[in-house]
């Protein structure tokens, strides 16, 4: 009798032990799963228990905290924030790291409470550098765009006022001519902005092969009247079969902008020459002019939106400051690039490099 009872108890104890082991294994797997999931989060996460002892640190947190002098500063902010959370208060602090490269990390903390029971605290560290830069670029862009549009719109208002009070028909005609010019300028800015935004959103969509000679023919059509007005001679390459993968509309727009600039920034009666070459799986389309050239210090900046070497000259020639930004974006969309070689007073060569397709 006693032996049977003892056996039953033993079996019960074994079952209980097995269940306890399985439950511990499940808890351990659940903890590992959670740690792995937290590791994937692109924000630094650190968890402390109710005594303030660290119990979890994900790999983003490790990267931010162990990265040299910057890591020490982030660590210091985190310690302060975690102490706050340990006292039941959440907090946030922005840490600006001088770099190089300069970075901004936002450190936040929060107490972990269940009803009124404090179980610990969680701290997060987020590198917001890129987001801030993007916001600043957007702000600058909106400010620049408003400024650019304010000029012709302001001129239109002033001209309209002058027209209203003008009795002399000759002066009226002159003023009306200027109204048209300013309205055209505003339209050009808006059209270029729309072009740029379309090119940015279209990105690198499907890119069927297109003949470079066909692109050049269409781009030349767009600048023919400007060339005629300036007495510029356009020299084009002989028809060749080179092909690039491309969005025809975007590529024509890029080439037309390069040709338009070559004509605009050259003296009347000069030559603009286009040559096409290929090698190393790339096609190079070069647009060369004998114009005013670009100082070396501006070679990088001319591709920025609204950047002009000489704002007055760009304005007089009807420039919007967006042409080269469009060219650069088209090149990037096509997996290519745009380069410039130029000397002040001697002329410039812009080279659009695109991947080559072998038909
Ligand atoms: P814009 O509408 O003012 O021409 P772009 O973005 O096309 O704007 O060009 C930016 C600036 O780069 C121009 O304002 C001009 O100063 C300079 N630039 C561009 N192309 C040439 C060129 N072929 N020769 C001399 N300067 C040029």
């Amino acid at each position: 009798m006693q032996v049977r009872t003892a056996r039953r108890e033993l079996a019960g104890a074994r079952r209980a032990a097995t269940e306890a082991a399985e439950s511990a294994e499940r808890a351990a797997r659940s903890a590992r799963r959670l740690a792995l999931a937290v590791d994937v989060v692109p924000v630094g996460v650190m968890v402390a228990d109710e005594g303030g002892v660290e119990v979890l640190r994900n790999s983003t947190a490790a990267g931010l905290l162990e990265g040299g002098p910057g890591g020490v500063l982030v660590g210091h902010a985190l310690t302060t924030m975690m102490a706050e959370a340990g006292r039941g208060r959440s907090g946030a602090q922005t840490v600006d790291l001088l770099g190089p490269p300069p970075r901004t990390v936002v450190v936040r903390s929060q107490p972990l409470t269940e009803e009124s029971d404090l179980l610990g605290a969680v701290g997060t560290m987020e590198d917001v550098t890129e987001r801030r830069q993007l916001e600043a670029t957007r702000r600058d862009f909106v400010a620049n765009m408003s400024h650019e549009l304010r000029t012709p719109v302001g001129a239109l208002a002033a001209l309209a006022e002058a027209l209203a009070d003008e009795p002399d028909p000759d002066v009226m005609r002159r003023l009306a001519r200027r109204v048209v010019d300013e309205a055209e300028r505003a339209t050009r800015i808006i059209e270029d902005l729309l072009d740029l935004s379309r090119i940015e959103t279209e990105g690198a969509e499907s890119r069927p092969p297109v003949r470079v000679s066909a692109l050049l023919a269409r781009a030349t059509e767009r600048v023919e009247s400007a060339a005629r007005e300036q007495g510029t001679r356009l020299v084009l390459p002989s028809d060749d079969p080179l092909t690039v993968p491309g969005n025809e509309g975007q590529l024509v727009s890029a080439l037309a902008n390069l040709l338009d600039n070559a004509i605009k920034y050259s003296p009347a009666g000069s030559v603009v020459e286009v040559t096409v070459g290929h090698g190393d799986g790339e096609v190079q389309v070069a647009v060369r002019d004998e114009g005013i050239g670009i100082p070396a210090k501006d070679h990088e900046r001319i591709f920025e939106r609204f950047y002009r070497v000489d704002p007055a000259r760009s304005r007089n020639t009807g420039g919007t400051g967006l042409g080269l930004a469009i060219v650069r974006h088209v090149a990037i969309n096509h997996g290519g690039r745009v380069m410039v070689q130029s000397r002040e007073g001697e002329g410039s060569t812009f080279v659009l490099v695109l991947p080559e397709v072998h038909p």
Side-chain angles (χ1 to χ4, degrees):
M1 192 68 188
Q2 265 178 350
V3 171
R4 215 179 295 150
T5 313
R7 272 200 194 125
R8 238 188 347 257
E9 279 174 2
L10 191 61
R14 276 203 189 116
R15 230 177 6 254
T18 313
E19 274 167 19
E22 279 171 6
S23 146
E25 170 64 13
R26 268 200 304 278
R29 281 180 72 82
S30 165
R32 283 207 300 278
R33 192 180 304 123
L34 202 64
L36 285 172
V38 176
D39 244 359
V40 181
V41 177
V43 171
V45 178
M46 181 192 272
V47 180
D49 66 12
E50 55 274 69
V53 176
E54 180 181 331
V55 290
L56 184 134
R57 173 188 291 214
N58 74 351
S59 49
T60 311
L64 282 165
L65 292 166
E66 287 150 28
V72 175
L73 290 176
V74 176
H76 181 70
L78 183 68
T79 308
T80 316
M81 292 294 101
M82 290 299 265
E84 276 291 293
R87 287 191 284 275
R89 287 191 296 267
S90 34
Q93 197 175 316
T94 302
V95 186
D96 287 310
L97 306 174
L98 291 178
R103 305 207 73 80
T104 305
V105 179
V106 175
V107 181
R108 292 191 183 85
S109 70
Q110 202 166 310
L112 296 172
T113 46
E114 205 172 45
E115 315 217 312
S116 56
D117 188 15
L118 183 72
L119 297 180
V122 59
T124 59
M125 289 142 275
E126 194 179 358
D127 187 332
V128 295
T129 318
E130 264 155 43
R131 200 192 317 150
R132 294 244 164 130
Q133 275 165 355
L134 214 65
E135 283 164 5
T137 311
R138 264 197 208 128
R139 262 198 314 275
D140 282 358
F141 179 59
V142 172
N144 283 335
M145 185 176 71
S146 316
H147 177 77
E148 294 288 335
L149 281 170
R150 205 162 47 203
T151 318
V153 172
L156 279 174
L159 287 165
E161 245 173 60
L163 258 174
D165 300 331
E166 184 54 57
D168 181 340
D170 279 345
V171 180
M172 268 177 88
R173 258 193 296 281
R174 256 207 329 273
L175 290 174
R177 184 64 243 158
R178 287 191 50 206
V179 167
V180 174
D181 286 350
E182 292 299 337
E184 278 175 357
R185 188 142 91 90
T187 310
R188 263 197 311 277
I189 297 174
I190 293 164
E191 273 172 359
D192 273 1
L193 281 169
L194 288 173
D195 237 14
L196 189 59
S197 119
R198 182 176 50 78
I199 287 165
E200 278 177 358
T201 36
E202 271 178 2
E205 277 176 2
S206 79
R207 291 178 286 170
V210 274
R211 288 272 292 263
V212 176
S213 53
L215 297 171
L216 279 171
R218 279 188 57 197
T220 317
E221 256 171 46
R222 288 207 200 166
V223 299
E224 247 163 18
S225 70
R228 211 173 311 114
E229 266 173 42
Q230 277 272 97
T232 308
R233 193 157 65 87
L234 288 177
V235 180
L236 294 166
S238 53
D239 200 20
D240 68 52
L242 283 177
T243 310
V244 292
N247 175 316
E248 198 166 330
Q250 289 189 15
L251 290 171
V252 169
S253 182
L255 291 169
N257 271 303
L258 292 180
L259 288 168
D260 187 48
N261 282 348
I263 298 165
K264 265 188 334 203
Y265 299 107
S266 296
S270 60
V271 174
V272 168
E273 189 186 10
V274 183
T275 49
V276 179
H278 70 132
D280 295 333
E282 292 180 328
V283 171
Q284 301 96 18
V285 186
V287 178
R288 191 179 59 80
D289 65 56
E290 304 166 336
I292 58 172
I294 303 159
K297 68 171 176 39
D298 293 311
H299 285 188
E300 270 300 312
R301 300 210 61 193
I302 49 173
F303 296 97
E304 292 172 19
R305 295 157 171 173
F306 297 122
Y307 187 84
R308 293 140 167 142
V309 176
D310 177 353
R313 177 163 185 139
S314 158
R315 205 152 289 140
N316 289 340
T317 49
T320 61
L322 293 168
L324 289 180
I326 290 175
V327 177
R328 183 171 63 174
H329 225 94
V330 171
I332 292 170
N333 280 358
H334 287 78
R337 59 192 185 280
V338 56
M339 300 177 299
V340 59
Q341 289 161 355
S342 181
R343 261 174 195 269
E344 267 185 285
E346 289 181 17
S348 313
T349 304
F350 282 86
V351 187
L352 182 62
V353 182
L354 298 163
E356 182 178 3
V357 202
H358 296 283

